[in-house]
Amino acid sequence: MKSTIFFRYFTNLDCAFIDDEGMICGHSQLLSCYMTGEPTEEESVVLDFSKGKKQLKAIIDDVDTGLDHKLLVFKFSKYEKTILDDGRIKITTPYLEMELPVDAVNFIDDFGYISTLVNDEMKKLYPNFNLECKIESSLQGYTNGFAKYFRYSHGLKDSTSYGCKNMGHGHLSFVEVLTNIDDIDIYNTVIAESIADHLNNAVFINEKNIIEKTKDQITIQYETCERGLMKATYKQPHKLIVLKTETTIEYIIEYVRKKFAKQLKGKTLRISEGLQKGAQINV
């Protein structure tokens, strides 16, 4: 007897990618997996759900071969690749120069690679199983249905998360503006759209990491014990937003609160980091 089991939204993939013009773009996807196989004699299941979820997430999060919190370079990306003397990778585009450790970048055909990756890795774990894995993704986060979406990229030098330290990662996120948590107000939607437009495709930069700045470009650099040296030069038309703090979602929402203070007075502002988590403040 064959059966298909599913793991709905087993992980949130956060990353960045180089587009067909050479710009860096933040991205997030909620991943689900459908797995078809024969129930085992021992447990009468295709795969234990708890074990399977952990294994699926580990594949996406793998430091070397995974995709989460990586810079993804596709076949359609406009770029040149150089291997530096210290083994790091340099990505050069018309608008960007980025030097990153090898494990901060993954070169793939397109997002369809996710299904291939999961299938190959699960078959290694269960070579005697007749498993077929299909990945399904969603770009819609947990919102009130009237949220507005935007993309951004950043790196968090001081984060305790290995992946977040990568300056070549980002998110697809949403903005919600609410008068009351359960109420929908069309004017609030207009405010949310203005905020999302302002933030869309931004690169958030911690002022402390800037090593060179001109009217046309900014170069940042930092080094961490875990990840080594990273450097990036962002050129126009990248939208660069410089904060005097780390670029966590808590400080991004504070930046928005100040910039849109008049429109947000008396409102609740919610901004996500990716599609499942974020920050909320009352203005």
Side-chain angles (χ1 to χ4, degrees):
M1 177 189 78
K2 273 194 173 183
S3 179
T4 299
I5 60 174
F6 60 88
F7 299 83
R8 187 167 176 79
Y9 300 154
F10 66 85
T11 194
N12 185 116
L13 169 64
D14 291 308
C15 59
F17 65 91
I18 303 297
D19 70 11
D20 59 356
E21 294 182 344
M23 304 281 284
I24 188 170
C25 303
H27 184 70
S28 300
Q29 287 183 218
L30 292 168
L31 301 181
S32 300
C33 181
Y34 293 81
M35 192 174 296
T36 301
E38 301 280 347
T40 64
E41 293 183 4
E42 295 82 2
E43 295 187 75
S44 299
V45 297
V46 175
L47 180 62
D48 176 76
F49 283 114
S50 178
K51 182 190 296 183
K53 181 178 179 179
K54 292 175 183 175
Q55 291 169 334
L56 288 167
K57 183 169 172 54
I59 292 169
I60 300 300
D61 293 349
D62 186 87
V63 171
D64 295 315
T65 60
L67 304 174
D68 192 53
H69 284 74
K70 297 285 188 77
L71 175 67
L72 304 182
V73 184
F74 298 122
K75 277 192 171 180
F76 64 74
S77 300
K78 186 172 185 177
Y79 75 100
E80 293 181 0
K81 171 185 171 182
T82 306
I83 303 298
L84 301 176
D85 291 342
D86 60 6
R88 290 179 303 136
I89 292 175
K90 182 176 182 179
I91 302 295
T92 304
T93 84
Y95 310 112
L96 175 72
E97 292 180 3
M98 186 167 277
E99 299 175 10
L100 298 171
V102 172
D103 67 5
V105 189
N106 202 328
F107 296 86
I108 61 177
D109 290 348
D110 51 42
F111 278 111
Y113 170 79
I114 299 173
S115 288
T116 301
L117 174 67
V118 170
N119 265 293
D120 290 348
E121 294 303 314
M122 290 301 284
K123 285 177 181 177
K124 290 178 185 177
L125 294 172
Y126 301 100
N128 298 322
F129 282 25
N130 183 23
L131 292 178
E132 297 175 8
C133 304
K134 177 187 175 184
I135 291 292
E136 178 181 271
S137 67
S138 173
L139 303 183
Q140 296 298 312
Y142 296 109
T143 75
N144 62 11
F146 288 82
K148 298 301 178 181
Y149 287 80
F150 67 97
R151 300 177 185 273
Y152 74 95
S153 62
H154 67 159
L156 302 175
K157 174 181 180 257
D158 298 324
S159 175
T160 57
S161 166
Y162 187 83
C164 289
K165 293 178 186 294
N166 180 12
M167 66 172 60
H169 88 277
H171 308 274
L172 171 64
S173 298
F174 60 81
V175 180
E176 289 180 317
V177 177
L178 308 164
T179 302
N180 297 304
I181 294 298
D182 298 322
D183 289 347
I184 301 300
D185 183 325
I186 192 64
Y187 177 63
N188 291 341
T189 305
V190 173
I191 299 171
E193 185 168 19
S194 295
I195 294 171
D197 286 345
H198 176 72
L199 300 178
N200 193 39
N201 289 326
V203 179
F204 279 95
I205 293 172
N206 184 342
E207 184 179 65
K208 299 180 181 68
N209 298 325
I210 296 175
I211 62 171
E212 186 177 348
K213 182 178 181 180
T214 69
K215 67 176 184 177
D216 298 320
Q217 65 185 49
I218 292 178
T219 299
I220 66 172
Q221 179 176 295
Y222 59 75
E223 186 170 8
T224 69
C225 296
E226 300 91 340
R227 304 223 61 171
L229 182 65
M230 301 188 195
K231 182 179 180 181
T233 298
Y234 302 98
K235 306 174 184 178
Q236 291 184 354
H238 277 108
K239 184 188 298 181
L240 307 177
I241 299 178
V242 178
L243 305 184
K244 294 183 181 297
T245 62
E246 189 59 284
T247 59
T248 58
I249 192 62
E250 290 85 351
Y251 284 105
I252 290 174
I253 200 171
E254 177 64 11
Y255 163 81
V256 172
R257 182 190 70 79
K258 291 178 179 178
K259 189 164 188 68
F260 291 84
K262 185 176 179 180
Q263 299 96 312
L264 290 170
K265 186 175 181 180
K267 311 287 186 182
T268 295
L269 173 64
R270 183 182 295 154
I271 302 181
S272 72
E273 181 186 75
L275 298 171
Q276 291 180 303
K277 62 189 187 301
Q280 176 178 305
I281 57 174
N282 296 321
V283 182

